[in-house]
Amino acid sequence: MNTNGLANSYASKTAAQAVASDKTKSAVKTNKPNGQKEIGSPKLSEKAQKYYEKLKKKYGNMEFILVSADMKEEAEANVGKYASNKSLIVLIDDEKIEKMAEDASYRKKYEGILSNATNDFAKMKTSLGDNANSVKAYGMKFDDNGNASFFAVIDKSLAAQRDRLHNKQEQKAEEKKIADKKAAAKEQQEKVEAKHKGRPEDMVTVEASSWDELLQKINETVAMSRTDMVQTQAETWVGQQFDSVI
């Protein structure tokens, strides 16, 4: 018997299965009749499933993603890639849903956090002002001790682009000639940037233990993005010449 051949065949099969498994786990799955979104392969009892459906209806302004126990660390480490700009994302694992379905006090605690999040989230977005336009998604998750944390996915290119447009509108009339020449160069630059809009390298995920802290981190990140773009734009003028206006 060719044992080496069998071993190689088994190794290849195992490797292929591992790759397939990784691909399955790396994305949010919507493979249930009710459109339930999942990470990994979470399991719920009949009672827990019925409670989960009621929970999602009660907080219809949120988008729940159910996480299997073995995928909690992976989900928390990659919160940004599960986010959506449709509503507030809530990452919650199947073990918590099971316990919420059985334990009234446990359920009250978590639902209280969700209820408070509805108002706090709205207030934070209002406080962000124009900076809210640079945020692609918001979300929250829970640890095993019942503590909630929050995250936001920021598109740095959006912050910089809006800042450039704002500055362009404020140009004085007497500078129009030279501004037009610069605008032509900027327009070309923005066309190039537009092709890369939404690139992974432009996305930054910030996390915080409170909405106030998240607000601060979002503002700091957007401000930093604008500073970086000012430097980048200044560098693009090096070596370029414009006719002076007399």
Side-chain angles (χ1 to χ4, degrees):
M1 181 181 293
N2 187 351
T3 56
N4 289 333
L6 288 174
N8 291 335
S9 177
Y10 177 77
S12 298
K13 184 177 180 181
T14 302
Q17 290 174 336
V19 171
S21 176
D22 288 341
K23 288 182 178 178
T24 300
K25 291 180 178 180
S26 66
V28 176
K29 298 181 295 181
T30 307
N31 56 4
K32 297 275 180 112
N34 57 10
Q36 180 172 301
K37 292 191 173 183
E38 303 177 343
I39 297 174
S41 300
K43 305 293 183 184
L44 292 178
S45 64
E46 184 177 351
K47 182 178 181 179
Q49 183 63 51
K50 288 181 179 179
Y51 166 71
Y52 186 46
E53 294 305 320
K54 290 180 181 179
L55 183 70
K56 289 190 292 183
K57 288 181 180 179
K58 183 175 181 178
Y59 300 98
N61 60 323
M62 301 178 179
E63 185 173 347
F64 288 82
I65 299 180
L66 191 63
V67 185
S68 59
D70 63 317
M71 290 293 290
K72 285 193 295 185
E73 290 186 8
E74 198 273 349
E76 291 177 3
N78 298 280
V79 289
K81 71 179 183 180
Y82 305 124
S84 161
N85 59 5
K86 295 179 180 179
S87 54
L88 178 65
I89 299 298
V90 180
L91 294 178
I92 191 163
D93 63 85
D94 50 6
E95 292 178 336
K96 289 185 178 64
I97 294 296
E98 287 287 353
K99 192 169 181 180
M100 289 170 76
E102 296 290 343
D103 188 329
S105 60
Y106 189 83
R107 177 169 62 251
K108 183 178 179 180
K109 176 181 180 179
Y110 278 89
E111 289 192 7
I113 295 173
L114 292 171
S115 295
N116 290 334
T118 300
N119 294 326
D120 293 340
F121 174 52
K123 290 178 182 177
M124 188 203 67
K125 287 188 70 176
T126 300
S127 298
L128 280 172
D130 290 340
N131 283 351
N133 297 326
S134 299
V135 182
K136 298 291 289 184
Y138 303 87
M140 63 185 296
K141 57 184 181 177
F142 304 96
D143 64 20
D144 291 334
N145 296 316
N147 301 309
S149 58
F150 313 92
F151 64 89
V153 182
I154 302 167
D155 187 339
K156 296 189 297 181
S157 67
L158 289 178
Q161 186 180 44
R162 288 188 175 88
D163 210 37
R164 287 199 303 275
L165 291 174
H166 178 70
N167 291 335
K168 188 175 178 181
Q169 292 170 351
E170 292 183 342
Q171 291 173 330
K172 296 179 181 180
E174 61 268 22
E175 297 174 338
K176 190 174 185 307
K177 261 191 176 182
I178 191 170
D180 285 344
K181 290 181 179 290
K182 289 183 179 181
K186 285 184 179 181
E187 184 178 359
Q188 183 62 33
Q189 176 71 14
E190 288 172 359
K191 284 181 180 179
V192 174
E193 290 174 357
K195 293 180 181 179
H196 301 289
K197 185 179 178 181
R199 298 179 305 175
E201 57 265 36
D202 289 331
M203 301 298 170
V204 176
T205 300
V206 294
E207 297 186 48
S209 58
S210 69
W211 289 111
D212 287 338
E213 184 185 1
L214 187 65
L215 170 67
Q216 179 182 348
K217 287 189 174 182
I218 291 172
N219 285 331
E220 289 174 352
T221 303
V222 171
M224 189 178 299
S225 300
R226 287 172 173 164
T227 301
D228 291 344
M229 183 52 65
V230 168
Q231 294 173 341
T232 301
Q233 287 296 313
E235 292 169 0
T236 65
W237 305 130
V238 176
Q240 296 187 38
Q241 294 183 354
F242 300 94
D243 295 334
S244 58
V245 179
I246 299 175

mmCIF file of all heavy atoms in Angstrom, residues 5 22 57 88 106 165 168 208 210 233:
data_model
loop_
_atom_site.group_PDB
_atom_site.id
_atom_site.type_symbol
_atom_site.label_atom_id
_atom_site.label_comp_id
_atom_site.label_asym_id
_atom_site.label_seq_id
_atom_site.Cartn_x
_atom_site.Cartn_y
_atom_site.Cartn_z
ATOM 1 N N GLY A 5 1.321 8.170 -0.490
ATOM 2 C CA GLY A 5 0.273 8.725 -1.339
ATOM 3 C C GLY A 5 -0.976 9.028 -0.556
ATOM 4 O O GLY A 5 -1.611 10.068 -0.732
ATOM 5 N N ASP A 22 -12.015 28.692 6.608
ATOM 6 C CA ASP A 22 -11.607 30.066 6.864
ATOM 7 C C ASP A 22 -12.423 31.038 6.037
ATOM 8 O O ASP A 22 -12.810 32.110 6.504
ATOM 9 C CB ASP A 22 -10.112 30.256 6.558
ATOM 10 C CG ASP A 22 -9.230 29.575 7.590
ATOM 11 O OD1 ASP A 22 -9.742 29.292 8.686
ATOM 12 O OD2 ASP A 22 -8.055 29.324 7.304
ATOM 13 N N LYS A 57 -36.972 42.521 16.836
ATOM 14 C CA LYS A 57 -38.139 43.358 16.524
ATOM 15 C C LYS A 57 -38.247 44.519 17.502
ATOM 16 O O LYS A 57 -38.603 45.640 17.130
ATOM 17 C CB LYS A 57 -39.412 42.514 16.574
ATOM 18 C CG LYS A 57 -39.550 41.539 15.405
ATOM 19 C CD LYS A 57 -40.847 40.747 15.509
ATOM 20 C CE LYS A 57 -40.981 39.778 14.342
ATOM 21 N NZ LYS A 57 -42.221 38.968 14.435
ATOM 22 N N LEU A 88 -27.148 50.845 13.605
ATOM 23 C CA LEU A 88 -26.181 50.490 14.638
ATOM 24 C C LEU A 88 -26.021 48.969 14.680
ATOM 25 O O LEU A 88 -26.988 48.228 14.864
ATOM 26 C CB LEU A 88 -26.670 51.003 15.999
ATOM 27 C CG LEU A 88 -25.790 50.675 17.209
ATOM 28 C CD1 LEU A 88 -24.441 51.376 17.097
ATOM 29 C CD2 LEU A 88 -26.492 51.105 18.498
ATOM 30 N N TYR A 106 -30.828 38.755 33.944
ATOM 31 C CA TYR A 106 -29.759 38.864 32.944
ATOM 32 C C TYR A 106 -30.304 39.564 31.693
ATOM 33 O O TYR A 106 -29.655 40.445 31.119
ATOM 34 C CB TYR A 106 -29.254 37.464 32.610
ATOM 35 C CG TYR A 106 -28.000 37.408 31.747
ATOM 36 C CD1 TYR A 106 -26.735 37.544 32.321
ATOM 37 C CD2 TYR A 106 -28.085 37.193 30.376
ATOM 38 C CE1 TYR A 106 -25.587 37.470 31.541
ATOM 39 C CE2 TYR A 106 -26.945 37.116 29.589
ATOM 40 C CZ TYR A 106 -25.702 37.256 30.179
ATOM 41 O OH TYR A 106 -24.565 37.183 29.404
ATOM 42 N N LEU A 165 -13.240 70.515 -0.371
ATOM 43 C CA LEU A 165 -14.359 71.195 -1.014
ATOM 44 C C LEU A 165 -14.750 72.449 -0.239
ATOM 45 O O LEU A 165 -15.083 73.480 -0.824
ATOM 46 C CB LEU A 165 -15.561 70.247 -1.114
ATOM 47 C CG LEU A 165 -15.391 69.072 -2.085
ATOM 48 C CD1 LEU A 165 -16.580 68.126 -1.985
ATOM 49 C CD2 LEU A 165 -15.224 69.573 -3.513
ATOM 50 N N LYS A 168 -12.245 75.163 -0.849
ATOM 51 C CA LYS A 168 -12.372 75.664 -2.218
ATOM 52 C C LYS A 168 -13.471 76.719 -2.310
ATOM 53 O O LYS A 168 -13.356 77.714 -3.033
ATOM 54 C CB LYS A 168 -12.681 74.489 -3.153
ATOM 55 C CG LYS A 168 -12.642 74.833 -4.621
ATOM 56 C CD LYS A 168 -12.837 73.572 -5.443
ATOM 57 C CE LYS A 168 -12.856 73.907 -6.923
ATOM 58 N NZ LYS A 168 -13.066 72.673 -7.734
ATOM 59 N N ALA A 208 -14.174 52.223 21.889
ATOM 60 C CA ALA A 208 -14.248 52.963 23.148
ATOM 61 C C ALA A 208 -15.175 52.249 24.124
ATOM 62 O O ALA A 208 -16.007 51.426 23.734
ATOM 63 C CB ALA A 208 -14.746 54.377 22.888
ATOM 64 N N SER A 210 -17.240 53.967 26.093
ATOM 65 C CA SER A 210 -18.434 54.799 26.286
ATOM 66 C C SER A 210 -18.690 55.597 25.013
ATOM 67 O O SER A 210 -17.805 55.755 24.167
ATOM 68 C CB SER A 210 -18.244 55.759 27.465
ATOM 69 O OG SER A 210 -17.277 56.750 27.145
ATOM 70 N N GLN A 233 -1.508 67.181 0.046
ATOM 71 C CA GLN A 233 -1.803 68.130 -1.014
ATOM 72 C C GLN A 233 -0.648 69.094 -1.209
ATOM 73 O O GLN A 233 -0.313 69.457 -2.340
ATOM 74 C CB GLN A 233 -3.089 68.904 -0.684
ATOM 75 C CG GLN A 233 -4.349 68.074 -0.832
ATOM 76 C CD GLN A 233 -4.563 67.639 -2.268
ATOM 77 O OE1 GLN A 233 -4.460 68.432 -3.191
ATOM 78 N NE2 GLN A 233 -4.839 66.371 -2.470
#
